[in-house]
Amino acid sequence: LPEDREQAFQLQADSQTFDQKNGRVTYSGEARLQQGSMVIEADTITVDFATDNSVSKVTALGDPAKFQQRPSRDRGTVYAEGETITYDSDNNTVSLEQEAKLEQDGAVMRGFSIHYDLTRELVRAESDKSESSEQQRIQMTIPPAMVE
Amino acid sequence: CGWQPRGYLMPPLDIDSVRIVSSEQHTELLRELEQSLLSQDIKVVEKGAEYTIALGDEQLNRRTVGIGNDSLAAAYELTLALDYQLRDEHNAVIGKPERVQVRRSYDASDTTGLDREQDMLLEDMRRELVQQIIRRSYFVLQDQQATQAPQ
Amino acid sequence: APEGASHRLDWVPLEELPPEAVDALPRGCCGAYISPYQTVGNGTGISLGEIPIQVEANRSSASGENIMLLEEDVVISQGPRLLKTDRAWINQTQKTIELDGNITLREDGLLIYADSAKVNTANKDANLREAEFVLHQARIHGEAKKLDKFGDRLIRLTDGSFTTCEPDDEFWKIRASELEIDNVDNMGTARHARLEIKDIPVLYVPYLIFPVGDERQSGLLFPTFSTSQRNGFEYSQPIYWNIAPQMDATFTPTYMQRRGMLWGGEFRHLNSFFETEIAGAYLADDEGGYDRQAENDIATGELTPEEAYPHKGDERWMIRVDQSGGKTSRLKTRINYTEISDVDYLRDITTSDIDIEHQSNVEKFGEISYAADAWRLGAYARETRYLNEIQQKPYKELPHVFALGQYRLGDWQITLDNQYTEFDLTRYYKRPTQRLVVGSRLNTDYNLAWDKRWRWGFVTPKVGVKTLSYDLQQADYDPSGPEPLPATNTSSPSLVVPQASLDMGLFFERFGNLGGNDYIQTLEPRALYFYSDYEDHSDIYHPLNDVNAPIEFDARYIKFDYNQLFRTTRYTGYDRIDDANQLALGVTSRFLSARTGEEYFSVGVGQIHRFKAPKVALRPNNQPVEETYEWSEFAGRVTARVSDRFNFTGDILYNQNEDYMSSSSAVLEYADEDNRLVSLTYRYMRRVTDIPEGQEPNPDVIYDRSMDQVDLAAYLPVSNNWSIMARANYDFTFDMELDTYAGLEYSDCCYRVRVMWRKWLNFDYNTGNTLETVDSNDYDYGWMVDLQFKGLGSISDRIGSLLGKTVLGYEQREDNF
């Protein structure tokens, strides 16, 4: 929700390590981060803090790492998954890399990488450019009921 | 030399009723079929019969097969044909769809009363068609019962 | 990239087709459109709007929820519909998908390639540009600048063309500024249509309706050309009009070089009760045609030009109404009405199938009947006009009322046959009528039979009584001619004749085996004793006075043959109740398949033993000699049906009293899987006038006028595309050809061309000409060419109807191709 940004961060994990020098904290072992309606669950979550101690970037790694958030009142919750999820708080974007999956109101999109601009609600998906054998293309299911 | 009255050579078949279904209704052929079956103690019923005879349209074709001194038609040939099927009580086809055909020719050099003569000939041909249908159905049903009997 | 273009359009050549597809293939065709994309049951009935859309692409970006851009190798599937494109914009709120670049649209039985398109996701509408399409079922492919699709039903092409020919071998194409194909009615309509053969525009039609799909009965008809001595060059252009699903019509204007414009038309209508066909033709001002015989007569001064060409300047026309009603109801009706402007119309104007049948008369007939459970009641009216006016019969039946009752009590069957007819003179009878009577007739046949059948036989005793009664008056006569004598005899003669018969038959069977397949041979002896009392017919021989001709409203002696063996009358019609005391004996042996009872072969022989020579005859004491033999002529019949390739029926009648063959007929029909068709028909009917005792035969009298004719017709495919057709109809008695044709047919996947040369007998029988006096001038000969587009069907293709009438099995073969 828009007011998520003002909420405090809650974090749980099995263990956490501080890296004062770079202003970075790494939580590992069933780490969970929540800020308002946004929830990230992953094996390890690394949070980078800006100089003014606000969160600038969150990087979650998992098999897969999970992200969910409700972009606005009249829209359904967005569920996302990916082996690497990067949440850029300043631009309010979420990037899902490898085995990316995005689901909203029943519409399911899969692909190699998906970039979701939360403020402008713009989704861009890319297939795997590398010559790896199993070329992973964008797949998407749009339910008929999408239209109100 | 092996001659047997019909009915002794092959195991008898006790059918007491048959349903008749046809794409045409109330035709002379259907009446002849019903009369022939009745004369062999086989009643024609609407429902509950073990077997159904499903008949298609009667196909009649007349062709000129001879011309007279004035170069006009002087002999005709009639071909009467019919497609039919035998079905069991679940309406499944027994055997394969069948076709019977009879062909007769007759003189037409003097055409007085020719329509009446053609009607008489058609009556004979319909009787022959009906006899063939009944006889062939007996054979097919005997063959079918023979194959089903062992189970 | 897909191999050749044909593959691209789902065209699968013959060799690669699965067997069941090959069977469904029209002959001469070399492949079919098989869609590789089988829709996996789209849940019929659910509208497209309720089916989710599956999307695959390399890149996608969506701004907000309503518009999504998909790029690079995009695949969109929605239930039965599959879309492939380079770029697609899916707009959820407007429920549309816009596509651009290398578009493929696939649906059930449909394939479209296009450069750009807009597709509606709520229904199956689509609008495509620069499209190329294939309708698999209708075997049609084509292209169009703009293609609009409306659901499953309608496709509209703007500036497009289509053909049923196989890809990269398009013999013909129809190009039109606007073209609509309705997939449900299987109908196509075109505006400003141009027919192109090998890309050369050949025919322009402003508005054209044509069937698509394998609808057999209606179609775009390419003109037929034919020539004949009598009418010169003929060009007829059938125009088909499908007015409504149950109603269609064909207009056939025909230009005849030596007669003028003939406006022909046929209208067909079908509803739940009636099946109606109305046909007509009108030639305003007949230019007379050309007749070599007439030219000779003019040259020799025998006839003036007006007499030689009697119909010059006349209106020539024909009207025909054919209707049958009540196919499944108790009430049934039938109309068979034909009227022609003059008796020479059929000979002069049409070389269509009517004249191939050498039709001897045209009939006006209307009947209505009701079939109750026990009774069948009805009435009909009948008037017959003979083309050979010497043959014209005097009477018409107006009306004929019948009531036939049949009751069954156990094995007893009661038959009550009542027929009442009013006979009057027909206006077509031109000869003096002073000695003719008219009036009404009532004839009945009441009998009781014990109709019992067992598997091994039957015994049917029958007793009954026939009555015949008249109410007569002198027929109208030409007052200028002699006066008929006043009535001295009764005007209401009547007869009551008791009859009895005993019909017995036995069925014997035995197994047999011939060359590996076992059969059952039957032996079926039958005896029919028939007794009919003799009643004096003098009141019928001399109606009203002693000069009038014997009553012959519709009675005629039926020449004895195998059909007559087990009949209980030797007359057709009801003006005589023939006496009889005879025993008919016959035996039939059949060879049946042991498994299905199908009859492979049957032979039957029979003879009638007359205990007393019959006395009743058509005219007093002129009983046909064959009826006076104590042992009738010997009748035999053979039928054979071998592996439904051969189908043979043959009759013979041998007169052992005079030791000659009285009549024989044989019909052999051959049809095999490579659809070679051959039919051989032979007919012999002895008609020899004996040379009086002790006299020398008079050279210029022809004593032998027997009918001795053979008709051999064949349709033989010689390769997958080429077929030959031929017919020889020959009369041995007068040693002359009757009707001969030879033709060649080239049949490709989407068209068929036929060329035929025909020579046929065509002379004026109304001037006393007969087969004996025929010379080369009495033949007409000419060419016939017709071109037909397959897949678009065809109605009155004249050569087809000619073949259908002469080559047995041809019509049936045509039906399933």
Side-chain angles (χ1 to χ4, degrees):
Chain A
L1 297 172
E3 64 277 9
D4 280 355
R5 298 173 66 78
E6 285 76 26
Q7 304 278 348
F9 272 88
Q10 287 130 6
L11 277 149
Q12 295 116 358
D14 295 350
S15 64
Q16 54 191 352
T17 53
F18 289 91
D19 175 352
Q20 280 302 47
K21 197 156 56 53
N22 305 330
R24 164 181 295 168
V25 177
T26 307
Y27 302 84
S28 46
E30 287 180 19
R32 186 176 189 280
L33 175 145
Q34 179 161 6
Q35 184 192 36
S37 74
M38 181 177 76
V39 173
I40 297 177
E41 287 163 342
D43 296 346
T44 55
I45 298 180
T46 312
V47 181
D48 292 278
F49 293 92
T51 49
D52 64 358
N53 248 341
S54 70
V55 170
S56 69
K57 191 167 81 158
V58 174
T59 314
L61 304 170
D63 190 10
K66 289 197 176 68
F67 168 91
Q68 78 174 49
Q69 193 203 28
R70 196 130 181 264
S72 59
R73 284 244 159 356
D74 52 13
R75 297 289 302 173
T77 309
V78 171
Y79 300 92
E81 282 174 11
E83 281 176 12
T84 330
I85 298 183
T86 318
Y87 168 65
D88 178 336
S89 159
D90 310 337
N91 315 329
N92 198 13
T93 64
V94 177
S95 305
L96 316 161
E97 302 292 338
Q98 284 180 330
E99 302 296 333
K101 179 181 166 210
L102 184 75
E103 199 181 331
Q104 184 177 26
D105 296 339
V108 177
M109 182 194 284
R110 282 189 194 74
F112 176 72
S113 67
I114 299 180
H115 306 283
Y116 188 18
D117 178 330
L118 291 161
T119 36
R120 282 189 286 125
E121 284 181 46
L122 184 92
V123 177
R124 230 173 357 74
E126 304 277 346
S127 66
D128 173 4
K129 288 290 173 296
S130 69
E131 292 328 315
S132 73
S133 60
E134 178 250 321
Q135 232 259 13
Q136 229 255 328
R137 277 160 48 83
I138 311 292
Q139 272 142 12
M140 194 185 323
T141 316
I142 306 167
M146 263 297 275
V147 179
E148 64 286 4
Chain B
C1 46
W3 290 107
Q4 299 263 358
R6 174 174 290 172
Y8 292 83
L9 204 61
M10 307 273 269
L13 207 57
D14 50 3
I15 305 175
D16 50 17
S17 69
V18 163
R19 187 164 74 100
I20 297 183
V21 168
S22 165
S23 55
E24 296 174 314
Q25 298 298 331
H26 310 294
T27 62
E28 267 141 62
L29 182 100
L30 291 172
R31 208 191 51 71
E32 176 63 34
L33 179 58
E34 190 169 343
Q35 291 301 326
S36 278
L37 289 167
L38 276 177
S39 68
Q40 301 177 29
D41 298 333
I42 301 174
K43 282 190 300 305
V44 173
V45 292
E46 283 303 307
K47 326 195 260 325
E50 209 182 327
Y51 297 107
T52 300
I53 305 178
L55 303 160
D57 283 6
E58 231 182 65
Q59 297 146 25
L60 177 61
N61 188 331
R62 189 177 85 164
R63 189 172 72 109
T64 302
V65 286
I67 68 169
N69 257 347
D70 56 7
S71 87
L72 294 175
Y76 290 120
E77 169 201 83
L78 286 181
T79 305
L80 188 65
L82 184 71
D83 295 308
Y84 74 95
Q85 271 176 1
L86 274 182
R87 296 200 191 129
D88 61 21
E89 64 263 70
H90 316 302
N91 234 359
V93 177
I94 304 172
K96 59 176 173 49
E98 304 270 353
R99 179 174 176 83
V100 277
Q101 178 177 299
V102 173
R103 180 165 281 153
R104 297 283 187 270
S105 56
Y106 58 104
D107 184 66
S109 40
D110 183 333
T111 51
T112 311
L114 191 63
D115 303 285
R116 175 85 188 88
E117 182 178 353
Q118 182 171 309
D119 291 344
M120 278 204 290
L121 194 53
L122 266 175
E123 236 175 275
D124 299 344
M125 292 167 82
R126 286 197 182 102
R127 203 167 297 126
E128 172 67 20
L129 271 191
V130 162
Q131 295 312 329
Q132 277 191 30
I133 292 175
I134 295 176
R135 188 183 61 232
R136 280 166 63 170
S137 304
Y138 253 98
F139 270 83
V140 169
L141 293 179
Q142 268 159 345
D143 187 54
Q144 188 226 20
Q145 283 196 348
T147 46
Q148 272 174 358
Q151 279 103 25
Chain C
E3 302 93 357
S6 40
H7 222 45
R8 184 168 161 280
L9 296 176
D10 296 348
W11 177 261
V12 177
L14 195 61
E15 316 75 55
E16 293 162 27
L17 278 178
E20 67 282 356
V22 175
D23 304 341
L25 212 54
R27 199 177 75 78
C29 253
C30 22
Y33 296 105
I34 307 282
S35 162
Y37 165 71
Q38 294 310 354
T39 57
V40 64
N42 65 355
T44 49
I46 304 177
S47 84
L48 206 56
E50 289 148 30
I51 302 173
I53 304 172
Q54 310 286 354
V55 175
E56 254 190 49
N58 282 354
R59 256 199 338 278
S60 90
S61 58
S63 64
E65 293 78 24
N66 39 31
I67 294 184
M68 187 173 304
L69 166 64
L70 299 153
E71 290 167 301
E72 273 179 50
D73 196 359
V74 179
V75 174
I76 304 170
S77 73
Q78 183 181 20
R81 172 195 277 169
L82 175 70
L83 286 158
K84 286 187 188 139
T85 177
D86 292 346
R87 266 174 313 291
W89 289 268
I90 301 181
N91 183 325
Q92 279 303 309
T93 36
Q94 285 164 11
K95 290 199 261 180
T96 62
I97 303 176
E98 276 169 38
L99 307 104
D100 176 31
N102 290 325
I103 294 158
T104 307
L105 163 69
R106 276 191 183 282
E107 273 172 22
D108 233 354
L110 173 70
L111 162 64
I112 305 178
Y113 295 116
D115 289 352
S116 69
K118 188 163 174 248
V119 169
N120 184 311
T121 58
N123 53 38
K124 285 193 175 175
D125 294 359
N127 316 91
L128 304 103
R129 294 282 173 288
E130 301 305 328
E132 195 182 359
F133 68 96
V134 172
L135 295 176
H136 300 80
Q137 193 60 28
R139 302 176 59 81
I140 283 184
H141 77 277
E143 30 82 29
K145 286 267 176 306
K146 198 157 92 62
L147 188 151
D148 303 316
K149 190 167 104 43
F150 303 93
D152 278 336
R153 185 176 179 125
L154 195 64
I155 290 179
R156 176 179 300 138
L157 312 172
T158 315
D159 291 339
S161 77
F162 78 95
T163 176
T164 59
C165 298
E166 65 184 73
D168 13 293
D169 178 9
E170 281 134 9
F171 174 78
W172 62 267
K173 201 179 281 184
I174 291 186
R175 190 175 295 286
S177 55
E178 206 195 295
L179 205 57
E180 266 177 25
I181 299 177
D182 181 326
N183 256 347
V184 171
D185 290 350
N186 278 331
M187 283 315 304
T189 49
R191 287 177 185 72
H192 308 307
R194 296 173 297 289
L195 174 67
E196 290 175 0
I197 293 191
K198 288 285 180 194
D199 298 331
I200 305 156
V202 170
L203 178 75
Y204 169 78
V205 184
Y207 178 76
L208 174 74
I209 294 189
F210 52 90
V212 286
D214 42 23
E215 224 67 28
R216 266 302 306 145
Q217 83 288 10
S218 53
L220 170 76
L221 310 162
F222 200 74
T224 51
F225 307 93
S226 61
T227 67
S228 66
Q229 287 295 309
R230 180 171 292 282
N231 299 338
F233 172 79
E234 265 182 66
Y235 164 87
S236 75
Q237 166 56 59
I239 297 165
Y240 169 76
W241 181 27
N242 182 338
I243 305 159
Q246 302 300 353
M247 208 163 40
D248 61 19
T250 311
F251 303 105
T252 317
T254 302
Y255 167 70
M256 297 186 191
Q257 180 191 358
R258 294 191 177 126
R259 290 196 184 276
M261 265 321 276
L262 175 80
W263 302 98
E266 220 177 84
F267 166 78
R268 285 165 297 279
H269 178 261
L270 192 67
N271 68 15
S272 57
F273 190 82
F274 288 109
E275 193 175 327
T276 315
E277 188 178 308
I278 302 173
Y282 178 74
L283 169 66
D285 172 8
D286 183 357
E287 289 157 18
Y290 172 80
D291 182 336
R292 281 210 313 281
Q293 197 71 326
E295 296 299 322
N296 286 357
D297 298 344
I298 296 172
T300 59
E302 245 176 280
L303 293 174
T304 66
E306 291 69 30
E307 285 158 351
Y309 290 102
H311 301 297
K312 198 165 186 129
D314 289 358
E315 280 181 329
R316 312 290 297 275
W317 52 268
M318 176 197 86
I319 175 83
R320 181 169 55 81
V321 177
D322 245 327
Q323 185 189 66
S324 65
K327 179 172 166 185
T328 58
S329 88
R330 287 180 182 276
L331 183 71
K332 292 186 187 306
T333 67
R334 199 154 62 80
I335 297 176
N336 192 333
Y337 177 97
T338 306
E339 185 55 296
I340 43 180
S341 55
D342 53 274
V343 285
D344 296 320
Y345 177 89
L346 293 178
R347 203 162 54 78
D348 286 349
I349 303 296
T350 55
T351 53
S352 69
D353 53 10
I354 293 183
D355 109 73
I356 304 157
E357 289 284 295
H358 302 284
Q359 199 165 327
S360 63
N361 58 62
V362 288
E363 208 182 46
K364 294 189 183 65
F365 173 81
E367 177 181 49
I368 182 163
S369 67
Y370 183 79
D373 288 342
W375 286 85
R376 217 170 80 74
L377 322 154
Y380 68 73
R382 182 199 315 274
E383 181 175 27
T384 308
R385 178 182 195 183
Y386 286 80
L387 304 185
N388 179 358
E389 285 164 334
I390 309 158
Q391 290 264 352
Q392 180 64 49
K393 307 296 179 213
Y395 299 105
K396 62 183 177 186
E397 297 170 74
L398 186 64
H400 174 104
V401 181
F402 57 90
L404 172 64
Q406 277 162 325
Y407 291 93
R408 192 174 185 91
L409 308 167
D411 293 326
W412 293 97
Q413 179 152 15
I414 299 163
T415 306
L416 307 168
D417 184 353
N418 311 281
Q419 315 213 19
Y420 170 81
T421 321
E422 298 257 353
F423 290 95
D424 203 348
L425 288 182
T426 165
R427 54 189 160 91
Y428 301 121
Y429 188 67
K430 303 262 190 317
R431 285 194 264 145
T433 59
Q434 276 69 8
R435 292 182 58 239
L436 293 180
V437 291
V438 289
S440 57
R441 173 185 72 193
L442 174 67
N443 58 288
T444 67
D445 177 0
Y446 296 167
N447 57 61
L448 172 69
W450 189 65
D451 174 18
K452 182 77 178 97
R453 281 179 172 275
W454 296 270
R455 292 287 294 137
W456 46 265
F458 62 89
V459 177
T460 314
K462 180 192 283 190
V463 286
V465 61
K466 276 188 178 174
T467 71
L468 173 60
S469 51
Y470 291 93
D471 181 10
L472 301 172
Q473 70 252 14
Q474 197 65 40
D476 300 342
Y477 57 92
D478 175 1
S480 59
E483 291 283 326
L485 290 179
T488 54
N489 304 346
T490 165
S491 69
S492 50
S494 75
L495 286 175
V496 176
V497 177
Q499 293 192 332
S501 68
L502 177 62
D503 194 354
M504 296 168 291
L506 293 170
F507 302 106
F508 297 101
E509 288 174 343
R510 69 176 177 184
F511 277 118
N513 188 298
L514 184 68
N517 37 38
D518 29 336
Y519 60 83
I520 287 184
Q521 184 188 2
T522 75
L523 195 62
E524 301 168 23
R526 179 180 177 187
L528 168 65
Y529 172 74
F530 172 55
Y531 171 80
S532 172
D533 212 12
Y534 168 70
E535 289 296 332
D536 173 20
H537 278 57
S538 47
D539 287 346
I540 294 178
Y541 290 146
H542 310 293
L544 299 181
N545 62 40
D546 291 344
V547 173
N548 278 341
I551 303 175
E552 275 178 47
F553 287 150
D554 63 356
R556 170 175 52 84
Y557 170 68
I558 301 177
K559 206 155 170 8
F560 186 76
D561 63 9
Y562 191 89
N563 298 331
Q564 275 294 101
L565 263 180
F566 292 103
R567 282 207 186 123
T568 52
T569 175
R570 54 184 185 280
Y571 292 102
T572 178
Y574 296 103
D575 293 320
R576 301 293 181 277
I577 302 181
D578 44 315
D579 60 321
N581 184 352
Q582 60 184 36
L583 177 65
L585 298 165
V587 63
T588 304
S589 177
R590 304 174 201 270
F591 292 77
L592 313 169
S593 143
R595 224 172 40 71
T596 67
E598 246 172 297
E599 196 176 283
Y600 297 135
F601 180 79
S602 83
V603 56
V605 291
Q607 219 173 358
I608 295 182
H609 176 65
R610 297 188 181 93
F611 300 108
K612 195 153 60 61
K615 283 194 275 182
V616 171
L618 266 189
R619 289 189 197 81
N621 44 54
N622 90 332
Q623 188 69 258
V625 66
E626 301 92 357
E627 292 301 327
T628 61
Y629 299 138
E630 190 189 346
W631 281 94
S632 77
E633 294 163 296
F634 179 81
R637 167 166 295 159
V638 171
T639 68
R641 187 173 175 71
V642 177
S643 70
D644 51 19
R645 266 185 172 211
F646 284 93
N647 189 346
F648 174 82
T649 309
D651 284 12
I652 63 151
L653 190 66
Y654 177 73
N655 184 337
Q656 78 287 358
N657 302 287
E658 312 283 347
D659 192 13
Y660 56 64
M661 169 90 76
S662 310
S663 70
S664 68
S665 72
V667 180
L668 174 67
E669 181 188 346
Y670 171 82
D672 64 15
E673 314 74 42
D674 318 336
N675 74 73
R676 282 189 285 268
L677 301 172
V678 178
S679 43
L680 175 70
T681 311
Y682 173 73
R683 188 158 186 86
Y684 173 77
M685 172 79 70
R686 190 171 190 279
R687 250 190 239 110
V688 172
T689 44
D690 301 334
I691 306 160
E693 285 310 311
Q695 263 192 9
E696 283 310 310
N698 172 339
D700 48 22
V701 167
I702 295 186
Y703 290 92
D704 183 354
R705 293 173 182 282
S706 309
M707 174 196 288
D708 187 1
Q709 293 167 5
V710 71
D711 187 352
L712 178 64
Y715 178 92
L716 302 171
V718 290
S719 79
N720 193 19
N721 298 98
W722 291 94
S723 306
I724 55 173
M725 310 166 261
R727 180 204 189 184
N729 184 4
Y730 194 80
D731 184 304
F732 292 116
T733 307
F734 300 105
D735 202 8
M736 55 185 287
E737 286 167 41
L738 303 171
D739 195 321
T740 316
Y741 63 63
L744 203 57
E745 169 189 292
Y746 179 79
S747 165
D748 190 313
C749 197
C750 58
Y751 70 96
R752 175 167 58 186
V753 187
R754 279 195 282 223
V755 179
M756 178 179 280
W757 181 85
R758 182 176 172 227
K759 178 181 177 191
W760 67 98
L761 205 52
N762 191 336
F763 63 80
D764 188 349
Y765 26 75
N766 277 315
T767 56
N769 283 338
T770 64
L771 292 187
E772 302 136 46
T773 65
V774 157
D775 61 29
S776 65
N777 292 334
D778 293 317
Y779 285 94
D780 201 341
Y781 46 86
W783 290 89
M784 244 190 228
V785 174
D786 80 36
L787 174 64
Q788 187 195 63
F789 295 122
K790 284 203 193 158
L792 298 184
S794 148
I795 303 181
S796 62
D797 100 54
R798 280 164 55 182
I799 296 186
S801 62
L802 177 63
L803 288 170
K805 292 288 173 190
T806 53
V807 180
L808 286 173
Y810 177 82
E811 245 150 29
Q812 190 155 20
R813 187 194 68 84
E814 268 299 86
D815 285 350
N816 42 39
F817 274 88

